[in-house]
Amino acid sequence: MSLASAPPKTAGPALKVVYKSSTKPTWCPGCGDYGVVASVERALSSLQVPPHEVVVVGGIGCSSNLPHFLSSYGFHGLHGRAMPVAEGVKLANHGLHVIVTGGDGDGWGIGLGHALHAMRRNLDLTYIVMDNEIYGLTTGQASPTSTMGQKTKSTPQGVIEEPVNPISLSLAAGATYVARGFSGDPKQLSDLIAGGIKHRGFALIDVFSPCVTYNPLNTFDFFRQRLYKLDSAGHDPSDLVKAHAKALEWGDRIPTGLFYRVERPTYEELEPALKPGPLVHQKAGLQGKDKVLDEFV
Amino acid sequence: MKDISLRVGGAAGDGIASVGESFCRIFSRNGFYVFGHNGYQSVIRGGHVWFQARASPERIWSQGDGCDLLYALDRQTVDVHAPALRQGGIIVFDPEKFQVPPEKVPAGVRAFPVPTLELARKFSPQSILQNAVGMGACAFLAGVPFATLENVLGDQFRKKKDVLEQNLGAAKLGYEHAQAHGAASDKAMPMKGGAPKLLLTGNQAIALGAASAGLKFLAQYPMTPATSVMHWLAAHATQFDIVVKQAEDELAAINMAIGASYAGVRAMTATSGGGFSLMVEGLGLAGMTETPLVVVEAQRSGPSTGLPTKTEQGDLNMMLGASQGDFPRVILAPGGAAEAFRSTVRAFELAEEFQTPVLLASDLYLSEDLHAVDREELPLDHVPASLFAVPDPPSGSNGYKRYLLTPSGVSPRAIPGQKGLNFIASSDEHDEAGHLISDIYAGIPMFVEVRRKMMEKRMRKLGGILRTTEPPKLEGPANAEVTLVGWGSTALPVRDAMAILSSRGVAVNYLHVRQPFPLHAEAIAQVLRLAKRTLLVEQNYTGQLGRLIRAETGIDLPHKLLHYDGEPLYPWQVVGKVLEVTGRVAS
């Protein structure tokens, strides 16, 4: 049985790992998500993680199809519910690398509650949100991150709600690795993803991943004109207060990179039932434990 | 039937359930069959709560009808429950708190004053010790030797020695007071000293069954009356290395359980109808991804928030139809604690064998009330099978198909982490390898065919489930004037009603539908065709099982006893309806 059980993230001999699936992505030509799946492949290869020790969980939406385009294990679940599936996978076998992928509608809309709770639990998960500020698969409605005033099919007069701020929310919810990438910069993005996978605890990587079909506002050019890198600007990712301040920057200059990182015990480390090792390898059943019946006498 | 029932009533926070449970334990420990019904409300303090503890040397299944001892902590208890007292009954009350007016005392019943507060004050100024005094008095009236009461209290307070001493002292004063001033009940039951019975709630039986079946992961959100499944498992989580995750909501709970099961451990969630409503989409996800899953649905009075602390069997329709589209599911509906234990083990076996969700239908009455069972009825010898159905393939092999089309509809299952078997489980329709056919292939003739085949593959499992599960059996005599038909906890009052009817020379039998879905329609039709008369007994308004039986067999069950007031069904209600249906009494 070659089931993954060793603690993850141990360096092994260099091996050629192929993450590309035989299934070709079905995204529109020019979609930002191509850059994300390439960055995930690159990050996993750089970490030398064998594909069978990785589970990628997606929800529903264009970007949530991502697990199909990798050769690892995958679970393509329900809209907004990728996170709890991933939590179950991780708790059942914490020897696996579990990556959650989805979009802004899936994660910051219908699945927001799950995301925030997963963050405060600090499960060792890597959450990659492909944020295109629009609902693409349903053909162009406003998303929770759509810009105030933006006209979409569901808001022909313009959006009249403030967008959520994924970075601020994640910092407040207790994520221990909070980053933002851009699918137009795969080098930085794959480093951020690799950093998130290596990080022991909950890692969020919110990715600007433009929708070339339904969002004429937040285009590759829009971001290229505005993005700057936090590390080049001397940001200290151990400073939570500064991270919060940076999260609020929007407008002409928008930061990317690592906002915040801290080491905290993970949920798996604190869960007593996991002390003997991954659940999936533990003995199950109550044979020989008849003494437990005495409590009912 | 030889039995004795003690009813105790007061306000929430008075320790009513604790008194009632102690009485149950006094008898169950001494080899009696016991049933304990907790009648409570959705308040933490105040209101009116009551507990009935019933014991008999013979097998009993329900709270029975009426009571013999009524320990009233307040006047309202007398108003509400005195009419339930049987001939020779006794009302125990404290005249310092209230008086029992003679017109409130039914004929053949006596009111017996016990100065519970006064005697309690000898030990402590706190009024809670009054319950110990009352228990002492009731124990004497019920014919319980003081040593037996001492034994039960000793365990209850074993961690608090000073509290124990106070309670024992107070109980002794109550016992001696009753001994000096009153005669024991005619129903007093001599202790026979048989092998102790095990006393547990339906939820404890379910939790125990799950652990025995190999449960390693429970995700749950608190909701009455399912919550105590989580309580028992959480209390034993470190002992048995089970992860008990309180989720942020029921959506998360079922999806976590699905994730854990996909990753190779036996997983379960438990909820009531409201929470199950939120789990509905997840149920279909388990069906579509062919992930084994056990969901406990402990029903309560609906619709909506309904009566959170009252019972009903109103969710069968929902369980049958929960989630969009067709997929195979199983619904098991045990009647009794031992059956709940066995059904839970079976639920895990079926979920695994057929890789599909199994619903365990309980209700507040079964889940929260106390049942006494023989130790042999809870065998913990189940050996969970290995979940790794597929051996590691030789290296380089790349032909694994997670959703391989097979005659049974069940495909070999790999677990993430197994090398070379990587696959994707998808909520979208997919092909044998798990690749989705919902986008660029949808509607293309070749994939129209794939869709049809995948649908048929999944649905084929239902045939296998029907073949490997037992059709319902008739309980009682083969030859009967009336064949009762019901499911789940309805079996409990019905079994007691059958004993009463039998003692009156009325032969009835009971078709206990323990698996409402898939329904063993042929076997059921055979029984119903041979029946002289039928009577459908259900705890819901529309007769949901009756409709299912008609849909599946074409047989209508015209006589119905439908019960939906939130209170448990009482044996006398079943008896009355049988007498009516057989023409013995006018309707």
Side-chain angles (χ1 to χ4, degrees):
Chain A
M1 193 69 56
S2 63
L3 198 74
S5 61
K9 294 152 198 175
T10 47
L15 59 131
K16 171 124 180 71
V17 278
V18 180
Y19 276 92
K20 208 172 276 304
S21 159
S22 56
T23 306
K24 296 268 175 297
T26 46
W27 297 313
C28 303
C31 175
D33 295 349
Y34 286 100
V36 181
V37 74
S39 299
V40 174
E41 283 170 30
R42 194 196 290 205
L44 287 167
S45 299
S46 74
L47 295 170
Q48 294 280 300
V49 188
H52 69 272
E53 293 182 8
V54 177
V55 177
V56 184
V57 184
I60 295 294
C62 293
S63 54
S64 290
N65 284 352
L66 190 142
H68 287 280
F69 314 135
L70 292 171
S71 65
S72 63
Y73 278 92
F75 193 101
H76 182 198
L78 300 171
H79 193 31
R81 317 294 165 218
M83 190 59 73
V85 168
E87 291 175 75
V89 172
K90 189 70 186 181
L91 290 169
N93 186 353
H94 60 273
L96 298 169
H97 297 272
V98 183
I99 299 169
V100 189
T101 61
D104 40 312
D106 196 76
W108 307 131
I110 189 169
L112 178 65
H114 303 312
L116 298 184
H117 285 287
M119 287 172 187
R120 77 182 174 89
R121 286 172 192 139
N122 197 34
L123 282 136
D124 187 7
L125 299 173
T126 308
Y127 185 28
I128 302 167
V129 183
M130 284 153 267
D131 191 349
N132 58 11
E133 296 89 11
I134 199 79
Y135 280 77
L137 199 54
T138 52
T139 70
Q141 300 79 26
S143 101
T145 55
S146 290
T147 306
M148 194 77 166
Q150 186 171 357
K151 289 184 175 169
T152 73
K153 281 188 189 162
S154 59
T155 57
Q157 310 302 319
V159 169
I160 53 172
E161 298 168 86
E162 280 294 334
V164 301
N165 183 330
I167 303 297
S168 293
L169 277 178
S170 304
L171 291 169
T176 51
Y177 180 102
V178 179
R180 178 189 282 150
F182 172 44
S183 64
D185 186 348
K187 169 75 181 73
Q188 182 203 32
L189 181 56
S190 59
D191 287 349
L192 289 172
I193 292 171
I197 295 170
K198 269 194 293 189
H199 174 72
R200 205 173 43 82
F202 192 99
L204 166 82
I205 301 112
D206 197 57
V207 186
F208 292 137
S209 183
C211 174
V212 294
T213 306
Y214 292 110
N215 191 342
L217 179 65
N218 306 109
T219 60
F220 279 98
D221 276 348
F222 172 93
F223 289 113
R224 283 202 182 101
Q225 286 160 19
R226 290 168 172 81
L227 299 185
Y228 76 94
K229 293 194 169 96
L230 283 168
D231 53 352
S232 316
H235 173 67
D236 173 10
S238 68
D239 189 327
L240 181 59
V241 174
K242 286 195 178 127
H244 271 289
K246 284 288 173 193
L248 296 176
E249 286 186 18
W250 194 262
D252 291 343
R253 276 173 60 76
I254 301 171
T256 61
L258 184 61
F259 285 75
Y260 184 60
R261 180 178 55 207
V262 68
E263 290 282 325
R264 269 205 288 127
T266 64
Y267 192 94
E268 303 90 287
E269 288 164 351
L270 296 174
E271 167 57 60
L274 299 183
K275 291 271 186 291
L279 273 189
V280 73
H281 295 305
Q282 291 184 14
K283 201 171 169 302
L286 298 180
Q287 313 97 280
K289 292 178 176 160
D290 288 67
K291 244 183 107 58
V292 69
L293 294 179
D294 293 344
E295 71 182 72
F296 300 120
V297 173
Chain B
M1 179 171 292
K2 201 168 156 45
D3 66 349
I4 184 167
S5 287
L6 167 97
R7 202 176 283 195
V8 52
D14 280 350
I16 301 299
S18 169
V19 172
E21 282 177 34
S22 295
F23 256 89
C24 287
R25 207 167 291 283
I26 284 170
F27 284 99
S28 62
R29 254 188 206 183
N30 284 281
F32 287 80
Y33 287 102
V34 163
F35 191 93
H37 172 64
N38 189 11
Y40 71 112
Q41 303 170 324
S42 197
V43 293
I44 304 302
R45 300 298 296 260
H48 174 70
V49 300
W50 61 282
F51 193 104
Q52 171 139 330
R54 178 184 181 215
S56 170
E58 296 158 46
R59 186 113 214 185
I60 53 165
W61 296 96
S62 76
Q63 72 286 0
D65 300 315
C67 63
D68 305 297
L69 291 172
L70 178 62
Y71 173 31
L73 273 87
D74 58 15
R75 171 67 197 271
Q76 191 181 4
T77 301
V78 177
D79 293 342
V80 174
H81 300 284
L85 280 157
R86 299 192 282 200
Q87 275 291 318
I90 306 168
I91 302 170
V92 174
F93 72 103
D94 186 344
E96 187 182 321
K97 295 162 81 176
F98 62 93
Q99 292 296 328
V100 178
E103 69 273 16
K104 290 280 179 191
V105 183
V109 168
R110 64 189 149 117
F112 180 59
V114 178
T116 56
L117 285 171
E118 186 190 321
L119 295 175
R121 278 195 291 268
K122 297 194 176 180
F123 293 90
S124 159
Q126 286 167 346
S127 63
I128 193 74
L129 275 179
Q130 66 178 306
N131 285 353
V133 178
M135 275 183 70
C138 291
F140 171 77
L141 297 172
V144 176
F146 186 74
T148 307
L149 174 62
E150 199 173 4
N151 171 281
V152 167
L153 289 178
D155 276 2
Q156 194 181 334
F157 299 107
R158 70 178 174 279
K159 284 177 187 154
K160 297 169 255 180
K161 218 174 157 62
D162 48 334
V163 180
L164 170 63
E165 274 168 24
Q166 289 184 343
N167 272 275
L168 281 180
K172 194 154 179 62
L173 288 186
Y175 195 91
E176 284 166 352
H177 176 90
Q179 207 166 16
H181 298 92
S185 160
D186 308 340
K187 292 288 199 105
M189 200 76 72
M191 290 291 127
K192 62 189 182 99
K197 306 290 182 214
L198 303 183
L199 187 67
L200 74 174
T201 65
N203 277 350
Q204 287 173 332
I206 290 167
L208 188 72
S212 175
L215 177 82
K216 295 300 284 181
F217 184 85
L218 174 86
Q220 189 174 340
Y221 186 82
M223 184 172 187
T224 304
T227 312
S228 54
V229 171
M230 175 165 63
H231 288 173
W232 193 87
L233 287 166
H236 296 78
T238 48
Q239 193 180 347
F240 303 137
D241 290 322
I242 294 169
V243 169
V244 174
K245 184 75 209 83
Q246 182 181 336
E248 59 270 24
D249 54 37
E250 286 90 350
L251 305 163
I254 191 166
N255 280 283
M256 284 178 177
I258 290 169
S261 177
Y262 159 80
V265 302
R266 289 175 181 84
M268 180 171 92
T269 184
T271 186
S272 187
F276 183 63
S277 297
L278 297 183
M279 293 185 178
V280 162
E281 194 183 16
L283 194 77
L285 175 66
M288 185 58 142
T289 57
E290 308 194 37
T291 307
L293 178 70
V294 175
V295 180
V296 179
E297 216 274 50
Q299 304 157 91
R300 68 190 208 191
S301 300
S304 192
T305 307
L307 292 165
T309 63
K310 300 296 169 190
T311 199
E312 197 164 276
Q313 296 181 307
D315 299 353
L316 181 58
N317 284 346
M318 173 164 68
M319 286 185 257
L320 288 166
S323 213
Q324 66 272 29
D326 284 315
F327 58 93
R329 75 187 76 196
V330 184
I331 305 172
L332 302 180
E339 229 181 279
F341 171 83
R342 289 195 302 274
S343 291
T344 309
V345 175
R346 191 78 185 111
F348 278 90
E349 288 177 337
L350 290 170
E352 255 161 66
E353 184 178 348
F354 293 98
Q355 300 178 15
T356 209
V358 178
L359 292 161
L360 189 81
S362 180
D363 54 40
L364 185 134
Y365 179 57
L366 171 61
S367 276
E368 294 199 331
D369 280 354
L370 278 168
H371 315 253
V373 303
D374 292 303
R375 203 178 173 101
E376 299 71 42
E377 291 182 286
L378 304 176
L380 301 183
D381 54 359
H382 181 80
V383 182
S386 168
L387 290 174
F388 304 103
V390 180
D392 287 354
S395 69
S397 162
N398 200 16
Y400 173 64
K401 288 179 172 168
R402 169 65 185 91
Y403 301 106
L404 186 73
L405 295 173
T406 61
S408 67
V410 179
S411 319
R413 180 175 170 222
I415 304 294
Q418 283 184 284
K419 198 172 174 182
L421 301 176
N422 309 18
F423 73 95
I424 177 156
S426 182
S427 65
D428 283 55
E429 187 59 283
H430 42 264
D431 64 12
E432 288 179 272
H435 301 309
L436 49 82
I437 61 161
S438 52
D439 46 29
I440 56 169
Y441 300 129
I444 307 294
M446 187 188 146
F447 292 94
V448 171
E449 187 68 5
V450 171
R451 155 67 176 183
R452 197 176 56 73
K453 284 185 172 158
M454 294 310 288
M455 196 71 185
E456 289 164 1
K457 160 200 156 42
R458 288 188 295 268
M459 296 308 285
R460 271 201 294 281
K461 297 177 187 177
L462 278 177
I465 293 164
L466 270 177
R467 283 190 293 278
T468 58
T469 50
E470 259 186 81
K473 282 204 187 91
L474 261 183
E475 298 183 12
N479 230 327
E481 282 186 61
V482 186
T483 296
L484 306 169
V485 182
W487 60 291
S489 76
T490 298
L492 301 173
V494 162
R495 285 174 187 145
D496 281 348
M498 285 165 71
I500 297 167
L501 286 162
S502 164
S503 71
R504 294 192 193 174
V506 185
V508 297
N509 53 24
Y510 178 53
L511 185 66
H512 174 38
V513 182
R514 224 170 22 195
Q515 182 180 304
F517 198 83
L519 195 74
H520 294 90
E522 271 178 47
I524 288 172
Q526 241 171 26
V527 169
L528 296 179
R529 277 193 215 105
L530 291 173
K532 285 202 187 96
R533 271 187 217 87
T534 60
L535 172 61
L536 176 72
V537 189
E538 288 194 66
Q539 300 171 69
N540 59 54
Y541 185 87
T542 52
Q544 298 181 8
L545 177 70
R547 284 168 167 237
L548 177 66
I549 288 175
R550 193 172 61 191
E552 299 254 343
T553 67
I555 297 173
D556 183 44
L557 306 174
H559 300 296
K560 297 176 176 68
L561 172 57
L562 300 175
H563 183 78
Y564 41 83
D565 61 13
E567 291 302 306
L569 185 63
Y570 281 81
W572 67 264
Q573 292 170 306
V574 180
V575 169
K577 191 72 186 178
V578 166
L579 296 180
E580 183 191 310
V581 167
T582 55
R584 285 180 172 81
V585 298
S587 59

